[in-house]
Amino acid sequence: LTTLAEGQPVVTRRGVAYLPADELKEFLLAEGIQFVISVPLMPQGRAVGVINLAGETLRLVTAEELSLLAAIGYQIGVAVENAHLDEGQFLWRPASTAPSIAFHVWHVARWADYLQAMLAGTGIEICVQEGLAARWGFRGADLGFAETGLGMDDDTSAALPFPGKEAVLDYARKVFAQAAQVIGTLHDDEFFRPVHDRRAVEGEKLAAGDAVLNWLVHDSRHLGMIEFRLGLQGLHGTATR
């Protein structure tokens, strides 16, 4: 409730042990949880939900990290807020050269999936774990770099047989939550740790922090495109404020 009221991430700085006694506190302690960050989902200043990140050890959370988490929460909130779209609006393309909202949501989700796997060092993407390419009928299509949609031509993107809106949004929620969790566990010095980005020129090093910032900038562009498509269909919503 505090998170929703303040509209900013809330941290249990002194640990779960100092929270008021209730069933939630008992549950967290029983699970060995000592540290919780609650991130509000706040598109257009209106709370639509909360994501909770938890850890077994206390750690200092910097202002920069909280700001980053707030930005991620805003992005997820926009996706949730736009869940009121019907299937036709979700799949509508304003022109043969302009992808649908479905494509943009899938694309930014694929980048979040790629990012979380890269930062975690596991290389394990949720899309691969759940076999979404085969389930959604994408197998055999050229999905661009790292199967994220980057570099796809108009005809290929238009031919993608996207499943129902809820399936795409469910995937987006999962990967944004996972990306937020991975980023939230990074310490300050880890933002300078080199990571393996398959886009990098051979021999070039990319820092984890740069990867996160590149992701936010990239996603902001696509959120703007989603906002534009909402407006073209007479719908309200903003992805840039």
Side-chain angles (χ1 to χ4, degrees):
L1 292 177
T2 301
T3 302
L4 295 176
E6 296 185 3
Q8 294 294 326
V10 174
V11 183
T12 55
R13 299 185 185 278
R14 299 174 65 191
V16 170
Y18 287 88
L19 292 176
D22 59 16
E23 292 182 2
L24 176 59
K25 176 181 178 179
E26 292 179 6
F27 171 78
L28 293 174
L29 291 176
E31 294 295 319
I33 302 300
Q34 297 295 329
F35 174 78
V36 177
I37 303 178
S38 296
V39 182
L41 310 183
M42 298 282 294
Q44 305 183 70
R46 186 174 69 84
V48 296
V50 174
I51 288 179
N52 293 307
L53 311 178
E56 296 179 352
T57 57
L58 288 173
R59 67 180 291 266
L60 176 66
V61 181
T62 67
E64 289 78 12
E65 289 174 317
L66 289 176
S67 178
L68 178 60
L69 288 172
I72 293 172
Y74 173 77
Q75 290 184 321
I76 299 173
V78 169
V80 174
E81 179 74 1
N82 286 336
H84 68 277
L85 295 171
D86 63 35
E87 297 290 343
Q89 292 166 330
F90 192 63
L91 296 170
W92 177 73
R93 303 178 68 214
S96 61
T97 55
S100 64
I101 291 175
F103 176 86
H104 286 289
V105 173
W106 170 78
H107 178 53
V108 296
R110 287 295 301 123
W111 269 112
D113 208 353
Y114 175 76
L115 178 77
Q116 66 84 15
M118 177 173 61
L119 294 180
T122 62
I124 300 175
E125 298 181 17
I126 293 173
C127 180
V128 176
Q129 281 184 312
E130 299 189 357
L132 296 186
R135 285 169 48 194
W136 292 0
F138 286 7
R139 181 158 291 176
D142 181 2
L143 300 179
F145 169 77
E147 298 187 332
T148 62
L150 178 65
M152 288 183 67
D153 61 51
D154 296 327
D155 292 336
T156 304
S157 65
L160 289 178
F162 283 106
K165 176 192 67 177
E166 286 306 317
V168 178
L169 292 179
D170 180 63
Y171 171 59
R173 293 184 188 108
K174 286 180 181 178
V175 295
F176 273 113
Q178 181 65 17
Q181 182 176 14
V182 171
I183 295 170
T185 60
L186 293 177
H187 295 282
D188 287 352
D189 56 348
E190 290 184 282
F191 270 71
F192 300 96
R193 168 175 59 86
V195 293
H196 176 61
D197 184 350
R198 283 178 279 171
R199 294 178 304 158
V201 177
E202 185 175 354
E204 181 180 285
K205 298 291 185 180
L206 178 71
D210 289 333
V212 173
L213 290 175
N214 289 343
W215 171 55
L216 289 174
V217 170
H218 170 265
D219 278 14
S220 293
R221 291 173 48 219
H222 285 278
L223 289 171
M225 296 178 200
I226 291 173
E227 177 184 349
F228 181 64
R229 281 152 180 75
L230 290 172
L232 287 177
Q233 297 183 81
L235 301 170
H236 298 288
T238 176
T240 57
R241 186 158 59 93

